[in-house]
Amino acid sequence: MADHSGERLLKHALLERLMHYYYYVGQRGEGSTPDTVASAEIARFLNMDDTLVRKDLAAIGVRGYPRVGFRTAEIVEAIRRVLGFNDSYRAVIIGAGRLGGALASYTDFTRLGLHIVAVFDNDPARYGSMVSGVAVQPMENLESVVAWRAVRLAILTVPAGPAQSIADRLVRAGVQAIWNFAPTALVTPPDTVVRHEHIAVGLAELSYHLKRRQNGPPEPRAGEG
Amino acid sequence: MADHSGERLLKHALLERLMHYYYYVGQRGEGSTPDTVASAEIARFLNMDDTLVRKDLAAIGVRGYPRVGFRTAEIVEAIRRVLGFNDSYRAVIIGAGRLGGALASYTDFTRLGLHIVAVFDNDPARYGSMVSGVAVQPMENLESVVAWRAVRLAILTVPAGPAQSIADRLVRAGVQAIWNFAPTALVTPPDTVVRHEHIAVGLAELSYHLKRRQNGPPEPRAGEG
DNA sequence: TAGATTGTTAATCGATTAACAATC
DNA sequence: TAGATTGTTAATCGATTAACAATC
């Protein structure tokens, strides 16, 4: 596969936009819609400028057709290639609580190349119980499973307290990336990719807007009372 | 409370940074650390420029003390005020599945001003079961609860299919903001605040970095094999 | 005081948008 | 062909950073 490895790192914001294109174009293609889409249509839906859509698609090697638009299949395939959805990764979940269970049963993961091969917990009452087709295992098995199954990603859904020490174990065991849902920052070596999913950040924005609405006449025109 | 309502809308990115300051400063204050903090310390932790920290704090009215730094209590209080954490909002959760349950029991919400007053589901088997101290109710009750308890925020943790029609009901019932965890876009009136929590976006970034690591010599220096 | 740290203006950088030529 | 849409360069805009004066 001629993947020119000299490509430079794509920016976070671009990756995020690509994901939005991916979902819009993918969902749109479900009916009997045309198999091409104009950059302006994507832009309208995502509330952005159409030039940026074209630039982004050009950046990942997708060429459009003047007068026609972009072939949806080419967009989808290019994004899958760039984001790595065509490759397959094994992952484990640490923490068989409600959030861990919810993530374990998120069916989209498989389509995105992610395969949950094990779920761990430190509560013996949970050992052996099935979470989305996988039996919950004790934490002692962590290192051996990571090594034997060449697990590259760990999804951390434990409380803040034990999160750091589990992260240390994961790194030592050879995990390359951690998706951290624990409400605490993790210290890891620079070559470990960590993404901290900070749920309260989303709430902050909603709270801010609710407050504005309550306090003043925030919008230019008053609207209904 | 002299809240000058002419303030202009703060940018999304700023709100996000404020939330990070809030967590860093709040957590830092737990021990017997000094009650002041330098912008450079915050910046170092968050891997950003200290000038930006000072700019951001100035933007929300926090003044530092030359040679001393910023008082942590002032930072925390200002962010709480700006983001609306000192006000109290009632919220409901639609969907008593694993994700709904996980969110219902997220204890930080209370400290951020959010109070879950009801959980709804369309599965009769779940009616009456307790989720974090609240009994699950049938969907029919949605409108009356929203109206009677003046609910302003709804947290949507249902499958993509019913999400839009539930959102329509919520808007008609008077909800002002929707926190959407359903994997689908929602169409709502412009004065309804919607935040779409797109879990797969996080995975996209991790997947991208895992792929890079696998394929090429991505980092400038090779490191250990 | 001297010096550490803030506050603010100016410079830089990067990202977005506008303009328009190229294309089928 | 005429015209719709892409592709790309140039202009604009905004956000970040650098520089340095102000302060206690």
Side-chain angles (χ1 to χ4, degrees), chain B residues 93-120:
Chain B
I93 294 178
I94 327 283
R98 276 175 289 229
L99 182 56
L103 290 172
S105 52
Y106 190 67
T107 53
D108 267 9
F109 283 164
T110 310
R111 251 173 293 167
L112 303 175
L114 193 76
H115 298 278
I116 309 292
V117 298
V119 176
F120 297 93

Side-chain angles (χ1 to χ4, degrees), chain B residues 129-146:
Chain B
S129 71
M130 299 300 281
V131 173
S132 188
V134 180
V136 176
Q137 304 188 46
M139 287 295 293
E140 296 112 76
N141 297 1
L142 184 64
E143 283 80 2
S144 62
V145 170
V146 167

Side-chain angles (χ1 to χ4, degrees), chain B residues 38-39 51 54-55 63-64 67 69-70:
Chain B
S39 58
T51 306
R54 292 200 293 279
K55 275 236 170 100
R63 296 204 42 114
R67 270 198 45 148
F70 295 82

Side-chain angles (χ1 to χ4, degrees), chain A:
Chain A
M1 302 296 172
D3 227 287
H4 9 100
S5 251
E7 283 167 1
R8 76 188 162 302
L9 193 73
L10 301 181
K11 296 279 165 55
H12 171 84
L14 170 58
L15 297 178
E16 202 169 308
R17 291 196 302 270
L18 288 179
M19 199 64 189
H20 291 303
Y21 304 157
Y22 183 73
Y23 268 87
Y24 175 67
V25 171
Q27 159 216 311
R28 178 183 175 285
E30 278 168 10
S32 56
T33 44
D35 61 358
T36 56
V37 60
S39 58
E41 181 188 329
I42 299 174
R44 203 178 318 120
F45 180 79
L46 295 174
N47 205 24
M48 56 189 292
D49 194 279
D50 59 296
T51 306
L52 185 52
V53 174
R54 293 199 293 279
K55 275 235 169 100
D56 286 348
L57 293 178
I60 59 170
V62 180
R63 297 205 38 115
Y65 304 89
R67 269 200 45 151
V68 176
F70 294 81
R71 291 203 204 291
T72 57
E74 292 179 9
I75 293 176
V76 166
E77 182 48 33
I79 295 176
R80 289 187 63 85
R81 175 175 48 77
V82 168
L83 295 185
F85 297 156
N86 288 331
D87 306 311
S88 179
Y89 306 111
R90 277 180 289 279
V92 295
I93 294 178
I94 327 283
R98 275 175 290 229
L99 183 57
L103 291 170
S105 52
Y106 190 65
T107 54
D108 267 11
F109 283 165
T110 310
R111 250 173 293 167
L112 303 175
L114 193 77
H115 298 279
I116 309 292
V117 298
V119 176
F120 298 92
D121 204 286
N122 72 345
D123 180 358
R126 284 180 174 150
Y127 298 167
S129 72
M130 299 301 281
V131 173
S132 189
V134 180
V136 175
Q137 305 186 47
M139 287 296 294
E140 296 112 79
N141 298 2
L142 184 64
E143 283 79 2
S144 62
V145 169
V146 167
W148 285 27
R149 305 224 51 189
V151 169
R152 302 180 66 203
L153 173 69
I155 305 176
L156 209 50
T157 60
V158 300
Q164 180 64 58
S165 73
I166 294 173
D168 294 342
R169 285 177 64 182
L170 288 165
V171 168
R172 274 199 305 272
V175 154
Q176 295 171 349
I178 297 176
W179 200 359
N180 178 31
F181 289 83
T184 185
L186 297 178
V187 179
T188 58
D191 62 342
T192 304
V193 182
V194 175
R195 180 170 165 115
H196 185 183
E197 217 62 58
H198 207 318
I199 194 64
V201 169
L203 178 60
E205 201 178 346
L206 287 166
S207 176
Y208 172 71
H209 287 293
L210 283 175
K211 172 173 175 286
R212 294 197 108 227
R213 238 179 111 136
Q214 194 161 46
N215 280 350
E219 311 305 335
R221 58 221 173 94
E224 56 163 15

Side-chain angles (χ1 to χ4, degrees), chain B:
Chain B
M1 301 298 171
D3 227 286
H4 9 98
S5 251
E7 284 168 1
R8 76 187 163 304
L9 193 73
L10 301 181
K11 296 279 166 57
H12 171 84
L14 170 58
L15 298 177
E16 203 170 308
R17 290 196 302 269
L18 289 179
M19 199 64 189
H20 291 303
Y21 304 157
Y22 183 73
Y23 269 87
Y24 175 67
V25 172
Q27 160 215 308
R28 178 184 175 285
E30 276 167 13
S32 56
T33 44
D35 62 356
T36 57
V37 59
S39 58
E41 181 188 328
I42 299 175
R44 204 178 318 120
F45 180 78
L46 297 173
N47 204 25
M48 57 189 292
D49 194 278
D50 58 297
T51 306
L52 185 53
V53 174
R54 292 200 293 279
K55 275 236 170 100
D56 286 348
L57 292 177
I60 61 170
V62 180
R63 296 204 42 114
Y65 303 89
R67 270 198 45 148
V68 177
F70 295 82
R71 293 202 202 290
T72 58
E74 291 179 11
I75 292 177
V76 166
E77 181 47 33
I79 296 177
R80 289 187 63 85
R81 176 176 46 76
V82 168
L83 295 184
F85 297 155
N86 287 332
D87 306 310
S88 179
Y89 306 112
R90 278 180 290 277
V92 294
I93 294 178
I94 327 283
R98 276 175 289 229
L99 182 56
L103 290 172
S105 52
Y106 190 67
T107 53
D108 267 9
F109 283 164
T110 310
R111 251 173 293 167
L112 303 175
L114 193 76
H115 298 278
I116 309 292
V117 298
V119 176
F120 297 93
D121 204 286
N122 72 345
D123 179 357
R126 284 181 175 148
Y127 298 166
S129 71
M130 299 300 281
V131 173
S132 188
V134 180
V136 176
Q137 304 188 46
M139 287 295 293
E140 296 112 76
N141 297 1
L142 184 64
E143 283 80 2
S144 62
V145 170
V146 167
W148 283 28
R149 306 224 50 191
V151 169
R152 302 180 67 203
L153 173 69
I155 304 176
L156 209 51
T157 60
V158 300
Q164 179 63 58
S165 73
I166 294 173
D168 293 342
R169 286 176 64 181
L170 288 165
V171 168
R172 274 199 306 271
V175 154
Q176 295 171 347
I178 297 176
W179 200 359
N180 178 32
F181 289 83
T184 185
L186 298 177
V187 179
T188 58
D191 63 341
T192 304
V193 182
V194 176
R195 179 168 165 116
H196 185 184
E197 217 62 58
H198 207 318
I199 194 65
V201 169
L203 179 60
E205 201 177 347
L206 288 166
S207 175
Y208 172 72
H209 287 292
L210 283 175
K211 172 174 175 285
R212 295 198 109 226
R213 240 180 110 136
Q214 194 163 47
N215 280 349
E219 311 305 335
R221 59 224 175 94
E224 54 164 14

